[in-house]
Amino acid sequence: MTVFEPMCDADTEAVIALWTTCGLTRPWNDPAADIALARRSRESDILLHRIAGTPVVTIMVGHDGHRGWVYYLATHPEHRRRGLAGAAMAAAEDWARVRGVPKMHLMVRRGNEGVIAFYEALGYEDGNILVMQKWLDPGREALYPGPPGRTG
Ligand SMILES: CC(C)(COP(=O)(O)OP(=O)(O)OC[C@H]1O[C@@H](n2cnc3c(N)ncnc32)[C@H](O)[C@@H]1OP(=O)(O)O)[C@@H](O)C(=O)NCCC(=O)NCCS
């Protein structure tokens, strides 16, 4: 069985390094701030799996009182295609299920469509939903390039 546990303070540097290696960080998503916010909430966690003590797989999971969401799914390149991300998704689903969450959602960035086959293999499907967004932090918005086609 692949064990996942909530990350602790001492994991922060290794988790940020893993996300950077896996290409998940963006200028407008300060990973340290994202970690702090997720860990401050009682309704979210960052779960990780270690090999020889080092975090090699992560997943951020939480719920907003209605739906469950996952973010920052990452497997270190040296440990891919061994079912670890599938195990991470199962751990996140279990996390949500025990909290009574009836449905999971996730977002895939345009340009990362290759990963859709991975999610489909786990039973996820296109929800026919358009995700809309609005920044509340002008500092972060300034770093965000905006959706394709936005001119202003
Ligand atoms: C996506 C990612 C987490 C998958 O990690 P992983 O541990 O290798 O995934 P698993 O071993 O659990 O994959 C299980 C199955 O999913 C499918 N799969 C996994 N990665 C895939 C990919 N990049 N493209 C297509 N199918 C993929 C395969 O069918 C695989 O089974 P197989 O190895 O028997 O063929 C990893 O490639 C990664 O960290 N990518 C960079 C970060 C990222 O894009 N995260 C997702 C953001 S939405």
Side-chain angles (χ1 to χ4, degrees), residues 49-96:
H49 170 69
R50 300 173 200 276
I51 292 181
T54 302
V56 296
V57 191
T58 63
I59 190 161
M60 181 187 288
V61 58
H63 77 84
D64 51 25
H66 185 56
R67 298 299 189 218
W69 287 87
V70 291
Y71 301 92
Y72 286 111
L73 174 65
T75 300
H76 190 281
E78 286 172 14
H79 300 282
R80 287 187 186 166
R81 308 307 285 251
R82 296 180 202 165
L84 290 173
M89 290 296 293
E93 290 167 9
D94 286 345
W95 182 101

Side-chain angles (χ1 to χ4, degrees), residues 134-142:
K134 175 183 173 181
W135 285 97
L136 303 178
D137 178 339
R140 287 214 189 193
E141 183 175 18

Side-chain angles (χ1 to χ4, degrees), residues 22-24 57 72-77 79-87 106-109 112 114-119 121-122:
C22 292
L24 287 178
V57 191
Y72 286 111
L73 174 65
T75 300
H76 190 281
H79 300 282
R80 287 187 186 166
R81 308 307 285 251
R82 296 180 202 165
L84 290 173
L106 59 86
M107 293 183 272
V108 176
R109 285 192 184 115
N112 195 19
V115 81
I116 290 174
F118 162 79
Y119 289 119
L122 298 179

